[in-house]
Amino acid sequence: MCGIIGISSNKSVSANIINSLKKLEYRGYDSAGIATLSDGEIIEVKSEGRVDNLENNFDLKNLKGNIGIGHVRWATHGIPNQINAHPHSSHNVSVVHNGIIENSTILKKHLINNGHKFKSQTDTEVIVHLITENLKTLELEYAITKTLKQLHGSFALGIVFKDIPDLIVGARRGSPLAVGYGPNENYLGSDSYALKAMTNKITYLEDGEFCFVKKDQVLFFNEAGKKVNKKILKLSSDEASYDKGDFKHFMAKEIEEQPTTIKTGIKEYIDSVNKDVNIFNFPWNIDEIKSITLIGCGTAYHSCLMAKYWFEELTNLDVSVDIASEFRYRKNRFKKDTLYIFVSQSGETADTYAALNLCNKNKMKTCSVVNVIESSISRESNFVLPIHCGPEIGVASTKAFLGQILVLYILSLKIGFLRNEIDRVEYKQKIKDLKTLPGLIEKTLQHDNDIQAISSTFNDAKGSMFLGRGFSYPIALEGALKLKELSYVHAEGYPAGEMKHGPLALIEEGMPVVVLAPRDNYYKKTISNMQEVIARGAKVLLITSKSKDEVVSENIWETIEVENTNEDLFPFLLTIPLQKLAYYSALKKGYDIDKPRNLAKSVTVE
Ligand code: M6R
């Protein structure tokens, strides 16, 4: 979380810093700020709220300085207000920070005893004063090395110094940081996305490294302060995907892009001529694997849960699923014959990344399913399966979810086939069926006006429930997450068969309940559970699949029918109406759909 930009140039930097901050808002949008150096002074401007506020409150066009740092914040220590906004500065140092300093309280006490005065409630201000203190007795490189050693926790930092006119220091531990190279200027950014408008030449810092960025030179150092050489990567240009086009919101665009997401995934991973999956060169012997553990957070965790159903269906492997923030601190029994699969859109989620590091340290087999291929999780996994769905800007994950479950489904097919655990004919048939998926999704997207009309009921209710069994259960969880995240209404996803063990007590007259019951093996059981909630007054929105047989139940409030297909593919189709339901609920409430309150797109703090 939090976005960092730094530019050292031979011309004024404020306009480019503001543009980059706008791009970085997906990482945090509680407050924004800039510090530039001009005429030997640090000029600091900051505001609560969005970058737009900062622009409205200050004459940024005339903000002088050929070097500067900027920040968008997602609050961890201290409420989101102007004082706690970054940069934080002393008389000679200004700092922007992404991450959490775990020993800030102890350090702060010590610094206060040495006469330092603090203005904010943030952990970041401790870094400012530590550097100021260390610079009293040490040369710059040593002062930086010493400061970084004193900090516990995670950070990406951008630092400018009043007395060093063209230098930005960057440092990374746990939180991502990149350097970019331009003509007569160089950059520091919390990711390549912020830098893409200015350059496609990027170097990523590794954990423990720091760098000196000047307009005409960049130097890298390791933890011990020794100079290191690093490669420059060339990024592909996909600027067009960062535009909303005719859509009101990125989320609306990303929902509609899903047929393309699936088409691209199929093109990448399916050999249509031979009806085979194009995943080769596994770095391990697939026959030696006995179990799979899938790990992720939020929507990516739901993708993992979804995959469990497919892996269990299509292979004989033992499959477990873990939330990354739980996995990383539990006592795990690492087993050599387990394959650990990490799922993450951003590839930077702190908890998922830490879980991967833990597995790597224990020399486990690691595979990642990511969208951002330059990300830390991608770079540090033994094997990477990109989902190729292009930039996802809306904080609520939509097309990345479909992209993740597609790749996981294809992987389960391939592993099942390689291990002779699924029949050859069935394997070929399932691959053939996959080709129909983009068209089925296009048809499902046409449910629009009906969902718009239904969405008000969810807004007016105290809460709602999303129920499903089997393959539909992870989708119920995902539907509930989307609704709460976007329209701030309480929504609960539940296995339909579990309602009678407690949650049924929540059902009261008029409560909206979404029941996911495609015509699969679970259909009849789910319909029985639906009747149980209807009998207690629930207003049921049934999402089922087309069939010649009518649904045998009375008093269903609304029904949406998705296309009929092979039952493995229903989860893809069921997801679409739920995404739209959440979108339209939030739209009616006038909420900020692409940037819901309290959230951020890239969660790089634990
Ligand atoms: O980038 P990741 O996929 O690792 O992100 C994981 C979650 O933070 C993310 O899926 C989050 O739950 C979404 N906002 C849900 O829409």
Side-chain angles (χ1 to χ4, degrees):
M1 329 290 257
C2 301
I4 289 177
I5 177 75
I7 306 178
S8 176
S9 179
N10 63 356
K11 56 180 195 281
S12 169
V13 290
S14 57
N16 277 342
I17 290 187
I18 295 156
N19 287 341
S20 304
L21 286 183
K22 286 185 178 163
K23 294 217 154 99
L24 280 168
E25 271 193 328
Y26 78 95
R27 303 181 70 95
Y29 34 84
D30 293 339
S31 56
I34 300 176
T36 57
L37 287 189
S38 176
D39 296 332
E41 289 302 323
I42 296 173
I43 311 171
E44 192 190 88
V45 289
K46 41 198 203 176
S47 268
E48 189 180 332
R50 303 281 159 88
V51 179
D52 282 351
N53 271 8
L54 189 69
E55 275 188 306
N56 293 338
N57 294 344
F58 297 96
D59 178 15
L60 296 180
K61 282 200 190 88
N62 292 319
L63 185 67
K64 284 188 189 154
N66 293 357
I67 179 162
I69 48 178
H71 189 267
V72 283
R73 179 170 186 245
W74 184 83
T76 58
H77 288 57
I79 56 164
N81 62 15
Q82 188 187 13
I83 293 175
N84 290 332
H86 299 211
H88 292 281
S89 311
S90 65
H91 69 282
N92 63 344
V93 172
S94 188
V95 173
V96 286
H97 167 218
N98 170 21
I100 293 178
I101 305 304
E102 288 169 355
N103 57 340
S104 62
T105 315
I106 302 169
L107 292 171
K108 192 170 176 174
K109 258 190 201 157
H110 174 74
L111 286 159
I112 289 173
N113 289 342
N114 280 351
H116 289 261
K117 295 221 163 24
F118 283 75
K119 294 175 235 165
S120 75
Q121 301 158 308
T122 64
D123 50 346
T124 307
E125 212 181 340
V126 159
I127 308 170
V128 178
H129 291 282
L130 270 184
I131 300 172
T132 302
E133 184 67 24
N134 290 332
L135 278 173
K136 285 181 187 163
T137 52
L138 295 168
E139 295 284 317
L140 181 68
E141 266 164 65
Y142 299 107
I144 296 295
T145 319
K146 181 171 177 193
T147 305
L148 300 182
K149 273 197 191 129
Q150 288 170 304
L151 301 175
H152 297 174
S154 65
F155 51 79
L157 301 174
I159 312 162
V160 289
F161 307 84
K162 176 174 165 266
D163 301 325
I164 316 177
D166 64 343
L167 176 74
I168 305 173
V169 171
R172 172 192 174 164
R173 189 194 297 155
S175 304
L177 196 63
V179 164
Y181 307 85
N184 302 316
E185 55 186 27
N186 291 313
Y187 321 100
L188 189 72
S190 33
D191 57 37
S192 56
Y193 178 45
L195 306 180
K196 260 193 170 160
M198 299 179 288
T199 183
N200 65 348
K201 287 188 231 143
I202 300 283
T203 298
Y204 292 98
L205 272 80
E206 298 300 324
D207 264 349
E209 289 179 343
F210 64 96
C211 60
F212 285 1
V213 179
K214 294 186 172 186
K215 62 179 184 294
D216 48 9
Q217 185 191 42
V218 180
L219 298 174
F220 294 95
F221 303 85
N222 66 15
E223 220 157 349
K226 287 235 159 64
K227 276 197 192 124
V228 287
N229 292 323
K230 294 188 68 75
K231 274 192 198 146
I232 299 178
L233 308 172
K234 216 165 169 199
L235 301 176
S236 58
S237 150
D238 49 7
E239 271 300 306
S241 329
Y242 295 113
D243 198 85
K244 275 204 287 264
D246 289 339
F247 290 92
K248 254 190 172 161
H249 301 99
F250 278 107
M251 184 187 181
K253 177 178 176 242
E254 286 155 8
I255 291 175
E256 299 300 325
E257 276 173 357
Q258 292 177 111
T260 310
T261 305
I262 299 297
K263 266 185 218 156
T264 315
I266 291 174
K267 214 171 99 204
E268 288 291 328
Y269 290 106
I270 299 293
D271 171 350
S272 315
V273 179
N274 299 309
K275 296 203 183 58
D276 198 1
V277 171
N278 282 335
I279 304 179
F280 306 106
N281 304 328
F282 289 104
W284 340 272
N285 180 350
I286 290 292
D287 289 324
E288 282 171 10
I289 293 171
K290 293 211 168 63
S291 60
I292 289 187
T293 296
L294 295 125
I295 298 168
C297 302
T299 289
Y301 168 72
H302 296 155
S303 299
C304 296
L305 270 183
M306 192 61 247
K308 175 179 165 76
Y309 284 85
W310 287 321
F311 272 109
E312 286 180 348
E313 196 77 17
L314 301 168
T315 75
N316 293 339
L317 294 161
D318 290 333
V319 188
S320 60
V321 179
D322 238 303
I323 290 180
S325 55
E326 289 297 312
F327 177 88
R328 62 182 292 192
Y329 291 116
R330 267 214 327 272
K331 185 176 165 195
N332 289 297
R333 281 166 198 83
F334 289 106
K335 292 190 199 131
K336 289 274 169 226
D337 51 17
T338 299
L339 169 61
Y340 291 85
I341 301 179
F342 298 85
V343 183
S344 174
Q345 187 284 129
S346 61
E348 299 292 354
T349 300
D351 287 317
T352 314
Y353 182 46
L356 166 69
N357 280 336
L358 192 63
C359 290
N360 281 341
K361 263 190 206 134
N362 285 279
K363 303 206 171 2
M364 293 294 106
K365 301 173 175 66
T366 58
C367 167
S368 61
V369 175
V370 292
N371 191 28
V372 183
I373 36 180
E374 305 98 3
S375 62
S376 308
I377 291 177
S378 165
R379 282 180 285 132
E380 291 176 35
S381 310
N382 300 161
F383 194 60
V384 185
L385 295 168
I387 61 171
H388 298 292
C389 73
E392 189 183 64
I393 312 293
V395 165
S397 193
T398 51
K399 63 176 181 175
F401 177 67
L402 246 58
Q404 288 162 357
I405 63 173
L406 177 75
V407 170
L408 291 163
Y409 176 60
I410 291 175
L411 181 66
S412 64
L413 276 173
K414 181 74 176 188
I415 293 184
F417 183 63
L418 288 176
R419 292 165 59 92
N420 294 320
E421 288 164 352
I422 83 165
D423 170 78
R424 186 180 180 80
V425 177
E426 198 188 342
Y427 175 67
K428 302 275 171 191
Q429 183 58 46
K430 284 185 189 289
I431 288 175
K432 199 171 154 209
D433 290 347
L434 256 181
K435 296 279 287 178
T436 63
L437 191 54
L440 297 175
I441 292 176
E442 256 157 36
K443 283 198 179 143
T444 316
L445 283 166
Q446 287 164 15
H447 288 281
D448 203 75
N449 292 337
D450 44 353
I451 298 175
Q452 266 194 67
I454 288 166
S455 60
S456 311
T457 299
F458 286 80
N459 285 342
D460 298 340
K462 270 197 299 197
S464 57
M465 301 213 70
F466 289 67
L467 309 180
R469 293 177 87 119
F471 290 2
S472 304
Y473 164 54
I475 306 302
L477 292 178
E478 175 60 7
L481 176 63
K482 285 290 93 92
L483 189 69
K484 54 190 149 195
E485 177 176 29
L486 289 167
S487 58
Y488 319 150
V489 195
H490 184 78
E492 189 98 53
Y494 239 86
E498 187 64 10
M499 288 295 285
K500 54 190 173 293
H501 300 292
L504 208 49
L506 290 172
I507 304 290
E508 53 187 45
E509 200 58 44
M511 182 187 199
V513 175
V514 180
V515 176
L516 303 178
R519 311 283 178 145
D520 59 11
N521 274 339
Y522 303 88
Y523 174 70
K524 285 192 180 144
K525 300 284 171 208
T526 313
I527 293 296
S528 303
N529 298 140
M530 177 182 78
Q531 279 154 348
E532 288 158 13
V533 292
I534 291 176
R536 283 152 183 92
K539 218 170 166 184
V540 165
L541 163 61
L542 170 68
I543 307 185
T544 183
S545 53
K546 287 184 180 156
S547 162
K548 57 182 178 7
D549 305 320
E550 266 188 44
V551 178
V552 189
S553 175
E554 284 178 0
N555 299 326
I556 299 170
W557 168 52
E558 291 286 353
T559 303
I560 290 174
E561 288 183 333
V562 300
E563 299 302 304
N564 195 18
T565 178
N566 144 10
E567 67 175 40
D568 293 354
L569 304 185
F570 282 135
F572 294 89
L573 307 188
L574 297 176
T575 303
I576 309 285
L578 302 185
Q579 294 171 339
K580 289 203 172 210
L581 179 67
Y583 176 77
Y584 285 120
S585 306
L587 189 70
K588 282 197 180 140
K589 287 180 139 179
Y591 289 164
D592 192 341
I593 292 185
D594 287 330
K595 295 188 178 77
R597 70 180 179 201
N598 305 336
L599 301 180
K601 183 71 182 160
S602 186
V603 187
T604 53
V605 293
E606 65 167 298

